[in-house]
Amino acid sequence: MSLTEQWNSIVRNNAGLTEIEFVRAEFESFLYSQKRSIIIQSRKYYEGKHNTPKHLIPDENGNATDATGTIPNHKIINNLFDDLVDQKTNYLLSKPLDVKCNEDVSEYFNKSFQRKLKNLGKDAYIGTIAYLHPYIDEHGNFKLKRMKPEYVIPFWHDEEHESLDAFIYFYEFTEYTNTNTKERYYKVEYYKPEGVTYYVYRNNSLYLDPQKQPMPYISMNNRYYNWQNVPLVWFRCSSEEVPLLSKVKPLQDALNQMLSNFANVMSQDVHNTILVIKGYDGENLAKFRSELAKYGALKITSSPEFEAGVEALNIEVNAENYEIIIKLLERAIITNGRGFDAKDDRMSNNPNQMNINSMYSDIDLDANEMETEFQASLEHLLTFINAYNSLTNRPPLKDVTFIFNRDLPLNQSEIIEACKNSSGIISDETIIANHPWTLDTQEELSRVKKERNEVLNNDVLGRTLS
C-alpha cells in the first residue's frame, strides 16, 4: 500500500472522511497556502507586478506614511527577475532538442513540443516545478497538456518526489447566470491510478460535476484503459525545489525602491533647499510650499519688531551615490540568481571563448542541474508514449537519447580555426558536429560527401578527356 493510500485509510478510519471530503480538505488547504501564494507572487513578479515602492515621510505625529499630494511619489519597477527567468530558460531550452532514436519521433518531439518544453522551463523557475499531462483525445491522438504549478496538488509517494500516487488539478470557471451576471467557481479534477473524478467547488462546497462522470483515462475502440502510472510528468529546475524569487526578492525590491527614491529626489525642485522662514504670515507650511512651487515667489510681511525674509540652505543631490548602489544591487541580483550580465566588459572587443565561458559559468551550473532533472522527466514521458504506441500497434521507442543544445555565445573565428587544425587528427563527423555553422550534422556530412564525389568524378572525367 502506498503512502497516500495508507494516509487515506488512516483518515477514513479515524475521522470517517470520504474521498470527496478528502479532496475538499486538500483543495482548500492548498488554495490558501503559503506555497501557492509564493508561486502566484513569483508569476506576478515575472509579469512586472511587484510590491509597490513607497516614499515614506513622517506625518504630524511622527509616524511613517506613504507620501501623497504634491510630493513626488514615483513607483519605478526595473524588472530583473523576468530577465533571470528568460535567460535561464532560453540558455537551455531555446535551441531545438536533439532526439536520437531507432524510430521516427517527429510526431512527438516537434516544434510544438519544443515550445511547450520552453514554457515548462519558465514554470519550473517560477513555481519550482512544472507539470505535463499526457492524454489521448477523442480522435485517438496522443496529446500533452501543460498544467501550471499553482493549479496542481501532487500527492507524492516518496520524500524525494520521484514517484506520484495521485494529484488534483483545478481551474477557475466562469459562467453567466439567469440574471446575466458572471459567476466564478472552480472545477476540480482528482486523478488516481484507476481514473479521474470531476468535481465542482462553489460557495465553499465541493460536489460531483453533474456534466462529467468518473471514468478511466483512455477510451479507444469502445474499450477503456488506464495508464500504468498516474498521468502526470513533472519537470524541476533542481532537486531542492527552491523558488528562484526567494533568492532575489529582497534585492529586487531594494532596487525598485532605490530607483524610485532617486526619481523622487530629482523631482523635488523645492526640496533641493531647506528654507528658513522669518515672519511668514501664511496659514501653514503646506500653503507655503504650494505657493512656492506654483509661482516661485512668496508674499511676506515685515514688522518694526521683526524683519521678515527667507534664507536658503542648498542641498546637493549626489547622483553618483545612487548610481553606485543601483549597480551593486543589479550585480547582486544577477549573482544570487545565477544569471549573466549581457553588458559585462568581458563581452566587449571580440572576447575569447575563455572569457565567454567565465561569464556564463553561474548560469551553466543551474543549467546542469536543470538538464539532469529534465532528462529524468523526459524518460518518464517516454513510458506514456510507448504505452500509446502499444495501444496503436506501433513499435516502442528504444535507446532514446535527448541532447540539449545550450545557447552559449561562441567566438566563431577561434572555433573554426580549431576545426581546421583538427583535420586529420579526429574524424570529419566530429569536426563538422562542432563547427559553429553546422545545423544538422548528418545532413552536412551528406553534402560534404556529395561535393567530394562530384569533384572526384570531374577529375576522372578531365583526365579521361585529356
Side-chain angles (χ1 to χ4, degrees):
M1 181 182 291
S2 70
L3 292 177
T4 299
E5 290 172 337
Q6 292 176 20
W7 168 250
N8 289 347
S9 176
I10 293 173
V11 168
R12 291 191 184 97
N13 292 336
N14 292 341
L17 287 180
T18 62
E19 179 180 286
I20 190 170
E21 291 171 333
F22 169 76
V23 172
R24 176 185 173 181
E26 293 293 334
F27 169 73
E28 290 180 338
S29 175
F30 179 76
L31 188 63
Y32 306 107
S33 66
Q34 182 181 6
K35 179 180 179 181
R36 184 168 187 260
S37 65
I38 292 174
I39 299 174
I40 293 174
Q41 186 181 51
S42 295
R43 196 171 296 281
K44 287 183 177 180
Y45 264 66
Y46 178 77
E47 296 170 352
K49 302 172 184 176
H50 295 201
N51 290 345
T52 305
K54 295 182 178 181
H55 184 188
L56 297 178
I57 60 174
D59 60 13
E60 295 178 356
N61 299 319
N63 300 319
T65 183
D66 199 13
T68 57
T70 59
I71 298 177
N73 191 6
H74 293 282
K75 312 292 185 183
I76 296 177
I77 305 296
N78 181 14
N79 195 356
L80 296 188
F81 177 70
D82 71 332
D83 287 352
L84 286 174
V85 173
D86 289 342
Q87 282 179 359
K88 292 169 173 293
T89 303
N90 290 329
Y91 180 70
L92 185 65
L93 304 174
S94 64
K95 289 191 173 183
L97 179 72
D98 285 343
V99 184
K100 296 184 177 180
C101 181
N102 61 317
E103 301 289 340
D104 181 19
V105 295
S106 58
E107 178 183 354
Y108 307 112
F109 303 104
N110 46 34
K111 291 182 179 180
S112 176
F113 178 81
Q114 184 68 38
R115 179 179 60 188
K116 204 178 295 289
L117 190 66
K118 186 176 177 181
N119 289 331
L120 289 171
K122 290 184 179 181
D123 282 347
Y125 280 117
I126 290 173
T128 73
I129 188 167
Y131 299 100
L132 198 62
H133 168 54
Y135 68 99
I136 298 175
D137 66 12
E138 63 274 13
H139 303 295
N141 300 316
F142 183 82
K143 296 289 184 179
L144 296 169
K145 177 182 179 180
R146 169 193 169 207
M147 292 180 169
K148 292 184 178 181
E150 57 265 44
Y151 299 106
V152 176
I153 309 172
F155 299 106
W156 299 106
H157 183 78
D158 56 343
E159 293 182 358
E160 290 78 17
H161 293 181
E162 294 181 353
S163 180
L164 195 68
D165 287 331
F167 72 95
I168 292 173
Y169 172 68
F170 63 94
Y171 56 94
E172 197 169 1
F173 193 81
T174 303
E175 70 177 9
Y176 284 92
T177 63
N178 295 332
T179 57
N180 291 327
T181 58
K182 288 183 179 180
E183 182 182 7
R184 294 183 178 180
Y185 55 90
Y186 290 101
K187 296 273 192 175
V188 182
E189 301 172 357
Y190 184 36
Y191 291 81
K192 303 167 292 182
E194 60 268 23
V196 56
T197 305
Y198 301 95
Y199 296 96
V200 174
Y201 183 81
R202 177 186 287 173
N203 299 326
N204 298 324
S205 177
L206 185 74
Y207 54 88
L208 288 170
D209 190 340
Q211 299 177 352
K212 293 184 177 180
Q213 297 297 319
M215 60 183 300
Y217 295 114
I218 304 171
S219 174
M220 294 184 66
N221 301 323
N222 297 321
R223 298 185 66 180
Y224 294 97
Y225 306 90
N226 278 319
W227 299 107
Q228 185 176 359
N229 301 307
V230 177
L232 191 69
V233 183
W234 52 96
F235 294 78
R236 300 183 292 188
C237 57
S238 68
S239 58
E240 290 79 13
E241 299 180 19
V242 177
L244 176 61
L245 183 64
S246 66
K247 300 178 181 180
V248 299
K249 183 181 181 298
L251 296 168
Q252 177 68 74
D253 290 342
L255 175 62
N256 295 340
Q257 187 68 61
M258 188 58 58
L259 287 168
S260 301
N261 290 346
F262 183 47
N264 290 336
V265 171
M266 298 305 293
S267 300
Q268 288 178 282
D269 294 335
V270 295
H271 284 191
N272 289 337
T273 58
I274 296 177
L275 302 176
V276 181
I277 311 165
K278 299 178 180 180
Y280 174 62
D281 62 352
E283 295 178 0
N284 51 43
L285 285 176
K287 183 178 179 181
F288 174 86
R289 282 290 187 188
S290 177
E291 291 181 354
L292 183 60
K294 288 180 180 178
Y295 308 113
L298 293 171
K299 181 181 178 181
I300 56 179
T301 304
S302 298
S303 67
E305 295 82 13
F306 192 83
E307 182 179 356
V310 178
E311 295 179 2
L313 300 178
N314 293 327
I315 299 174
E316 292 185 3
V317 178
N318 192 341
E320 291 184 359
N321 291 339
Y322 283 94
E323 292 175 359
I324 291 172
I325 297 174
I326 288 170
K327 287 182 179 179
L328 287 173
L329 287 171
E330 290 176 344
R331 187 61 194 166
I333 291 173
I334 293 171
T335 301
N336 284 269
R338 289 185 176 179
F340 66 87
D341 186 1
K343 300 176 184 177
D344 195 298
D345 293 337
R346 287 172 291 181
M347 287 298 288
S348 60
N349 301 323
N350 192 25
N352 59 41
Q353 197 61 41
M354 185 174 294
N355 283 339
I356 295 174
N357 292 340
S358 174
M359 193 182 75
Y360 278 73
S361 59
D362 283 347
I363 198 171
D364 209 47
L365 286 173
D366 262 14
N368 291 337
E369 184 84 13
M370 190 178 198
E371 181 176 343
T372 300
E373 295 293 333
F374 272 47
Q375 288 279 8
S377 300
L378 291 171
E379 184 177 300
H380 185 199
L381 176 61
L382 283 175
T383 63
F384 294 98
I385 293 176
N386 281 332
Y388 172 73
N389 285 345
S390 177
L391 284 173
T392 54
N393 298 318
R394 303 183 189 183
L397 304 181
K398 297 180 179 179
D399 302 322
V400 183
T401 303
F402 299 99
I403 301 174
F404 290 84
N405 297 301
R406 305 188 182 189
D407 190 15
L408 178 67
L410 302 174
N411 186 312
Q412 294 191 359
S413 59
E414 285 188 8
I415 297 175
I416 292 173
E417 187 66 25
C419 288
K420 289 170 59 179
N421 295 336
S422 300
S423 181
I425 301 176
I426 58 178
S427 67
D428 288 346
E429 182 175 356
T430 301
I431 294 173
I432 290 174
N434 288 277
H435 197 286
W437 295 350
T438 300
L439 298 178
D440 187 304
T441 302
Q442 296 303 321
E443 184 178 347
E444 195 64 37
L445 281 170
S446 299
R447 291 174 181 171
V448 171
K449 183 178 180 180
K450 180 180 178 181
E451 289 178 358
R452 288 176 178 174
N453 288 336
E454 289 177 354
V455 171
L456 180 63
N457 292 335
N458 290 336
D459 289 343
V460 172
L461 180 61
R463 288 196 297 269
T464 302
L465 293 176
S466 61

